[in-house]
Amino acid sequence: MLLLVGLGNPGPKYENNRHNVGFMAVDALHDRYGKGPYRSKFGGHLAEAEIGGEKVHLFKPATYMNASGRAVRGVTRFFKIKNRDVTVLYDELDLVSGKIRVKRGGGAAGHNGIRSISANIGPEFRRVRIGIGHPGDKDRVTGHVLGNFTRADRGWLNDMLMAIVQAAPVLVEGDDARFMSDVALITNPPREKSKPGGEKTAKEKD
């Protein structure tokens, strides 16, 4: 059994923050694959889903970011979910906006939610890092992370969330490389090439 965790801070004040993109991703998965509403359990919001024929739990800790690990630990202990079967989706400053990278284990890289989860269940879980871009100045990091996505962000954000949803069966299957590739192709589909001699295809002429 798999557990997909989205990280964020609870409440309307933080709803559209860049720091809450993990919540947004899990909500998008719930919209497509959820088998029932969220229930308030284990210090968060838990729902069942079926993705690619597999039963999956979707979870959003409601403990605030710094204490996310306590809530995640409660879910894993109750359902006897192994650490390697936990996948956490969260914001990543050091990735270009809309880019996705997946890795297993490692450090927290300054992310308090990941640090909390590692302290509570160990670091061996899988991480889906969702790029939110870096403001370019370390003094602006907090404001950037806790700031809302802008109207200009909405295009790439919606495309990225849609891509995560479409590629989710591959993620559940455990093929991290293909998941990253599929998300990249969905968000940036290849353009049709011109025919030899410079003649454009019918699509390009339109």
Side-chain angles (χ1 to χ4, degrees):
M1 185 182 297
L2 300 179
L3 175 65
L4 301 185
V5 179
L7 294 186
N9 287 311
K13 176 182 177 181
Y14 303 101
E15 188 173 21
N16 294 308
N17 283 186
R18 294 180 181 89
H19 213 25
N20 273 39
V21 74
F23 275 7
M24 296 175 193
V26 165
D27 281 339
L29 291 169
H30 182 254
D31 288 344
R32 172 71 67 88
Y33 301 107
K35 305 298 286 185
Y38 286 112
R39 295 169 294 156
S40 294
K41 298 192 72 172
F42 308 109
H45 305 291
L46 181 72
E48 291 186 0
E50 185 175 322
I51 303 177
E54 295 288 335
K55 183 178 178 180
V56 175
H57 287 294
L58 304 175
F59 187 60
K60 300 188 300 179
T63 53
Y64 290 93
M65 191 71 77
N66 293 2
S68 298
R70 292 205 311 263
V72 172
R73 182 178 61 191
V75 181
T76 58
R77 285 186 172 180
F78 183 84
F79 291 108
K80 296 180 173 57
I81 299 172
K82 297 177 181 177
N83 296 356
R84 65 173 178 269
D85 292 327
V86 176
T87 296
V88 182
L89 298 93
Y90 64 99
D91 56 296
E92 175 57 74
L93 267 173
D94 294 326
L95 282 178
V96 175
S97 297
K99 298 297 182 184
I100 298 283
R101 293 291 181 270
V102 183
K103 71 171 186 174
R104 185 175 293 279
H111 196 288
N112 290 333
I114 295 299
R115 181 181 293 113
S116 177
I117 294 173
S118 293
N120 278 273
I121 71 169
E124 298 85 8
F125 57 92
R126 183 168 56 167
R127 301 106 187 272
V128 177
R129 301 155 60 212
I130 302 171
I132 59 168
H134 196 288
D137 183 340
K138 65 180 182 179
D139 293 331
R140 295 169 55 202
V141 163
T142 299
H144 177 74
V145 170
L146 294 179
N148 288 343
F149 284 110
T150 66
R151 182 176 297 179
D153 291 325
R154 285 293 159 183
W156 69 258
L157 177 61
N158 291 337
D159 287 348
M160 183 268 301
L161 293 175
M162 177 191 70
I164 289 174
V165 168
Q166 290 186 17
V170 178
L171 182 68
V172 168
E173 187 180 302
D175 192 338
D176 296 348
R178 184 181 164 194
F179 173 75
M180 288 187 284
S181 176
D182 284 357
V183 169
L185 284 172
I186 293 167
T187 54
N188 293 287
R191 294 182 178 182
E192 290 190 28
K193 296 181 179 179
S194 297
K195 293 182 179 180
E199 183 183 348
K200 292 184 177 180
T201 63
K203 187 173 182 179
E204 286 177 312
K205 289 177 181 177
D206 293 340

